[in-house]
Amino acid sequence: MTTASKSIGVFISEEKIQARVSELAAQINRDYENQEIILVCVLNGSFIFCADLIRQIKVPVQIETVSLSSYEGTESTGQVSFRLDVKQSLVGKNVILVEDIVDTGLTISFLLKHMKLKNVASLKLCSLLLKRARLKVEVPVDYLGFDIEDKFVIGYGLDFDGRYRELPYIGVYGE
Ligand code: 5GP
């Protein structure tokens, strides 16, 4: 493991992330050829991932944001609540939820259930990271960046109590 700025080691390098984001965008471009999509960016953690992804989307695309709360420090509270919902109607739209990380899966399951109630034409999930071993509920991740071990990661949008989001790579907090 190499040492980088702020003494946070590199777990997934900037180059690896960018290469994977390009692959995910290419997959989405193929799957939605001649269709329009709405990317729903799950704030705050996925804002950088979403910004990189959308710039490689070639089909007509719009962006919406949602904000949920379920984490304090490094532990999920298991209690998910809405801070901000989408602003436009999603009826009949092809929606892709863009998440930074699926850990227990409780947050995204809550959101998937909520989005299904909006009578969308299709609903898919794109997550940069998944901690498969930590899942408490089954979550269908249609577009996945990296399957990672059970470590608390930061950088590339992911924070620890509001910090480290600006790192261009993903590191492990405390390592
Ligand atoms: P879940 O409900 O799947 O347990 O948690 C999902 C949310 O918890 C993510 O959207 C993210 O905000 C936060 N989270 C889960 N694991 C990590 C992690 O390793 N690092 C950071 N920074 N946030 C995490």
Side-chain angles (χ1 to χ4, degrees):
M1 199 168 279
T2 55
T3 307
S5 61
K6 302 182 188 178
S7 302
I8 304 288
V10 177
F11 181 56
I12 307 176
S13 70
E14 186 175 357
E15 293 72 24
K16 269 197 189 152
I17 296 170
Q18 294 305 330
R20 193 70 191 114
V21 171
S22 296
E23 287 171 359
L24 292 175
Q27 210 179 329
I28 291 171
N29 288 330
R30 278 196 301 275
D31 291 354
Y32 291 91
E33 206 180 348
N34 302 320
Q35 295 181 70
E36 291 189 26
I37 56 175
I38 298 189
L39 296 186
V40 175
C41 176
V42 185
L43 295 174
N44 291 328
S46 68
F47 78 111
I48 292 180
F49 175 40
C50 218
D52 281 348
L53 189 68
I54 198 169
R55 282 178 289 178
Q56 299 199 49
I57 296 295
K58 308 262 188 280
V59 300
V61 60
Q62 292 182 47
I63 193 134
E64 279 287 336
T65 52
V66 293
S67 177
L68 302 160
S69 99
S70 73
Y71 249 67
E72 277 169 25
T74 60
E75 276 306 311
S76 176
T77 60
Q79 298 287 317
V80 186
S81 59
F82 253 96
R83 286 200 195 112
L84 172 81
D85 199 353
V86 294
K87 291 175 203 69
Q88 65 171 292
S89 164
L90 299 182
V91 174
K93 309 280 185 174
N94 295 311
V95 174
I96 304 178
L97 301 183
V98 181
E99 179 61 297
D100 50 357
I101 184 163
V102 176
D103 182 14
T104 62
L106 295 170
T107 307
I108 206 67
S109 294
F110 170 88
L111 190 55
L112 282 164
K113 270 189 213 134
H114 176 85
M115 288 293 158
K116 275 180 196 152
L117 298 175
K118 293 183 185 283
N119 294 320
V120 295
S122 68
L123 180 62
K124 291 207 173 168
L125 171 62
C126 175
S127 183
L128 180 69
L129 304 169
L130 166 69
K131 293 187 205 166
R132 200 177 293 278
R134 293 259 307 161
L135 283 176
K136 287 189 179 158
V137 285
E138 208 175 305
V139 176
V141 187
D142 304 284
Y143 304 100
L144 176 63
F146 303 93
D147 204 333
I148 63 165
E149 53 205 283
D150 181 12
K151 289 175 181 286
F152 191 82
V153 289
I154 50 170
Y156 197 67
L158 289 143
D159 74 314
F160 173 68
D161 281 347
R163 294 182 58 212
Y164 305 107
R165 293 193 197 276
E166 72 281 14
L167 295 178
Y169 59 89
I170 290 170
V172 177
Y173 184 73
E175 283 184 14

